Amino acid sequence: MELKTLVKDTALYGLSSIVGRFLNYLLVPLYTIKITAASGGYGVVTNVYAYTALLVVLLTFGMETTLFRFSTKEGEDSRKVYGTVLWLVTGVAVTFAVLCLVFNAPISAWMGYADHPEYIACMSTIVAIDAVQAIMFAHLRQQQRPVKFVTLKLTFIVLNILLNLFIFLVAPVIHASHPEWIGWYDPQYSVGYIFIVNLICTASVTLGFIPELKGLAYGFDRQLARRMLRYAMPILILGIAGILNQVADKITYLFIMPGTEGEVQLGIYGACSKIAMIMAILLQAFRYAYEPFVFNQSRNKEDNNHMYAATMKYFVIFTLLAFLVVVFYIDLFKLLVGRTYWEGLCVVPIVMMAEIFMGIYFNLSFWYKLTDKTYWGAIMSIIACMVLLAVNFIFVPHYGYVACAWGGVAGYGTAMLLSYFIGQHYHPIRYDVKGIIIYFVLALGLYGISQLLPIGNQWLRMGANTLLLMLFVVYIIKHDLPLKQIPFVKRFVH
């Protein structure tokens, strides 16, 4: 029954993630066609949003997980917990935004955007609002209100798409025929409009959170805040190291390879990495449902280790299936980015494998969250981040953005292995390691065969890849998901 609840919530949260990210994919070809690789503009977008992702983690400082943990603790007032968390994050976010606006010029110069300080002004405001919204979204998850969660997420996405379509498709036509109608529009300011549109959409979604903002009226408990901060600080370190594993390559790239050429290469890497984001979509949908689910299950006294082990195996199976779908049909998925970016398609399978390792690490991470040993998560993430940064600084000057992709694999692979072996000591779970390894070997073997097939025609190549994909599906059905266990199929069998 619990797994059914998890699947249902994953599907609902996945609606906002999967459908939303898919719709946002429509912006990738739009950006990469309107902003050519040679201009380096998409490299700027990739770089600025990498900073944004890191800053959101800093400004929420582990309070999402803390909210889940303290709301489910016996003797805690969940309303007071939410109010205290909201006050903490709002105070930090507002302070951050004000400081960034006051010192906008020197910050912009340090980041390399002295000519466009408005980029950083937009980014800092967006980050501050996002941090507060993250707590309110977490509150919706904790209350198991996926419908409002999905509605607000999709509102942002639809509004963002509509405004971007207007800026990049409609506005140029109006400007060409009747420039006086939109005197504010500058055809050369494409990158800046991406940030402005994001700011408008982020601010608009806040209107839907007015009921949740009333949580500030629940008050601020200083003693509770101290206890929550002690719990959250290791999670903050963990979060910083974790997000650096995702964005450090995009932040440091322009320091390692400065100038226009660095922006061009970073743009290619960032655009092609978007194709691999189907894996991030699956991980995000799973994470939104799984985190509050595990904490709620921890209230029960019964042993849930068998359920955690089963969840891990099915997670690996379906993420590897997604991996094969993307790499086998890359000739179709590459249409998501402009032709000038196709030289970077080689990073797609590497980035996807890094995402799978990250997902496994996330699955493994609950042993230290449930046992309140969050410092272990911080230690492992820091080590993984150091591995990633070492790979980047050593190999990027020689191999460019391909080294960034392998750095992700090395970083997440390190975190995954550390978490498994240390976790088995503190909170042992009998994962089907042998079965999981077999799936990895099978998936990578099928991918290797597809790369060795001497087929020049892309349609014949995809046909052969389809046969290879069917082999993987047949293995799944035979060993772990018999058709008769699927309710829809079961009706016809009987």
Side-chain angles (χ1 to χ4, degrees):
M1 194 67 185
E2 291 84 358
L3 281 174
K4 288 183 178 179
T5 301
L6 175 61
V7 170
K8 183 192 73 173
D9 286 353
T10 300
L12 286 170
Y13 291 124
L15 176 65
S16 63
S17 296
I18 297 174
V19 175
R21 288 286 188 94
F22 176 76
L23 292 175
N24 269 333
Y25 270 146
L26 299 178
L27 296 179
V28 177
L30 179 67
Y31 291 158
T32 54
I33 289 172
K34 294 296 182 178
I35 307 172
T36 63
S39 71
Y42 198 73
V44 173
V45 174
T46 302
N47 181 247
V48 172
Y49 278 129
Y51 280 104
T52 300
L54 173 61
L55 288 169
V56 168
V57 172
L58 286 170
L59 295 185
T60 53
F61 50 96
M63 282 294 142
E64 291 173 277
T65 300
T66 303
L67 176 64
F68 293 133
R69 181 59 174 165
F70 278 75
S71 295
T72 57
K73 272 190 172 184
E74 293 185 10
E76 298 289 0
D77 182 349
S78 61
R79 286 161 58 95
K80 184 67 70 175
V81 168
Y82 173 58
T84 302
V85 169
L86 193 58
W87 271 109
L88 281 170
V89 174
T90 301
V92 172
V94 170
T95 302
F96 167 82
V98 170
L99 289 174
C100 284
L101 293 176
V102 170
F103 299 101
N104 187 28
I107 294 173
S108 301
W110 174 78
M111 293 178 64
Y113 302 116
D115 295 336
H116 293 285
E118 71 277 11
Y119 293 176
I120 310 308
C122 278
M123 181 192 71
S124 58
T125 308
I126 291 168
V127 166
I129 298 174
D130 275 346
V132 179
Q133 287 186 1
I135 298 305
M136 294 185 287
F137 274 122
H139 183 56
L140 293 178
R141 291 161 56 199
Q142 191 271 327
Q143 291 189 317
Q144 296 184 325
R145 296 169 60 193
V147 174
K148 182 169 184 177
F149 182 101
V150 169
T151 300
L152 291 176
K153 288 286 186 179
L154 291 182
T155 297
F156 171 86
I157 291 162
V158 171
L159 183 60
N160 186 44
I161 290 172
L162 291 176
L163 289 178
N164 271 283
L165 290 175
F166 175 79
I167 290 294
F168 286 96
L169 296 181
V170 179
V173 175
I174 297 176
H175 184 269
S177 57
H178 298 87
E180 69 279 5
W181 290 1
I182 49 174
W184 53 266
Y185 179 74
D186 179 1
Q188 306 301 316
Y189 195 64
S190 55
V191 173
Y193 288 132
I194 293 175
F195 301 135
I196 292 172
V197 165
N198 194 331
L199 176 60
I200 293 171
C201 297
T202 301
S204 299
V205 169
T206 304
L207 298 175
F209 275 120
I210 291 176
E212 282 66 38
L213 281 170
K214 292 179 181 178
L216 294 170
Y218 297 157
F220 178 82
D221 187 319
R222 185 169 299 188
Q223 295 298 324
L224 175 62
R226 287 198 184 101
R227 288 191 287 117
M228 288 195 296
L229 286 171
R230 281 195 298 270
Y231 177 84
M233 283 304 100
I235 297 178
L236 169 60
I237 299 172
L238 182 156
I240 293 172
I243 196 65
L244 280 175
N245 276 302
Q246 298 180 51
V247 302
D249 50 357
K250 302 173 184 69
I251 290 175
T252 59
Y253 201 88
L254 296 184
F255 291 104
I256 300 172
M257 297 185 68
T260 303
E261 181 59 27
E263 292 178 352
V264 170
Q265 295 298 313
L266 180 58
I268 293 171
Y269 174 59
C272 290
S273 293
K274 289 290 185 182
I275 298 175
M277 285 301 103
I278 186 171
M279 195 64 68
I281 293 170
L282 295 174
L283 295 178
Q284 187 181 49
F286 181 81
R287 177 178 178 269
Y288 281 153
Y290 196 52
E291 190 167 41
F293 171 80
V294 168
F295 280 116
N296 286 331
Q297 285 300 306
S298 68
R299 289 175 167 179
N300 302 329
K301 302 303 180 183
E302 60 187 74
D303 182 13
N304 292 304
N305 286 353
H306 66 283
M307 183 184 65
Y308 299 147
T311 301
M312 169 68 83
K313 187 170 185 180
Y314 284 114
F315 172 84
V316 170
I317 289 172
F318 289 109
T319 51
L320 284 174
L321 182 62
F323 167 82
L324 289 177
V325 168
V326 174
V327 297
F328 282 168
Y329 301 104
I330 193 66
D331 288 315
L332 296 179
F333 282 98
K334 71 181 182 182
L335 299 177
L336 289 169
V337 300
R339 187 178 295 271
T340 58
Y341 295 82
W342 285 1
E343 67 179 75
L345 291 173
C346 60
V347 304
V348 173
I350 307 171
V351 173
M352 290 193 76
M353 193 53 62
E355 293 285 345
I356 293 175
F357 286 174
M358 181 182 74
I360 295 174
Y361 173 57
F362 174 78
N363 272 272
L364 294 168
S365 69
F366 282 97
W367 70 263
Y368 58 76
K369 292 180 181 178
L370 292 175
T371 58
D372 289 348
K373 298 182 185 298
T374 49
Y375 59 86
W376 272 115
I379 293 170
M380 291 183 294
S381 292
I382 289 173
I383 293 172
C385 184
M386 291 172 63
V387 171
L388 179 144
L389 290 173
V391 171
N392 276 263
F393 279 100
I394 293 171
F395 295 106
V396 163
H398 305 286
Y399 301 102
Y401 54 78
V402 176
C404 293
W406 281 111
V409 172
Y412 284 125
T414 300
M416 175 184 69
L417 293 173
L418 287 173
S419 186
Y420 173 75
F421 288 110
I422 299 173
Q424 289 302 298
H425 174 72
Y426 286 101
H427 191 85
I429 296 176
R430 295 187 64 182
Y431 295 109
D432 184 6
V433 176
K434 179 181 177 181
I436 289 172
I437 291 175
I438 289 174
Y439 273 106
F440 267 101
V441 171
L442 179 61
L444 293 176
L446 291 172
Y447 171 64
I449 292 172
S450 74
Q451 295 298 296
L452 295 174
L453 290 175
I455 302 176
N457 183 281
Q458 71 174 33
W459 298 107
L460 291 177
R461 185 166 59 249
M462 285 192 290
N465 287 342
T466 301
L467 295 177
L468 294 174
L469 183 64
M470 288 302 101
L471 288 176
F472 190 76
V473 173
V474 168
Y475 184 86
I476 295 173
I477 293 172
K478 184 176 180 180
H479 292 273
D480 288 286
L481 193 63
L483 291 176
K484 62 182 180 181
Q485 290 185 7
I486 302 176
F488 178 77
V489 177
K490 191 176 182 179
R491 292 197 200 105
F492 291 94
V493 173
H494 291 283

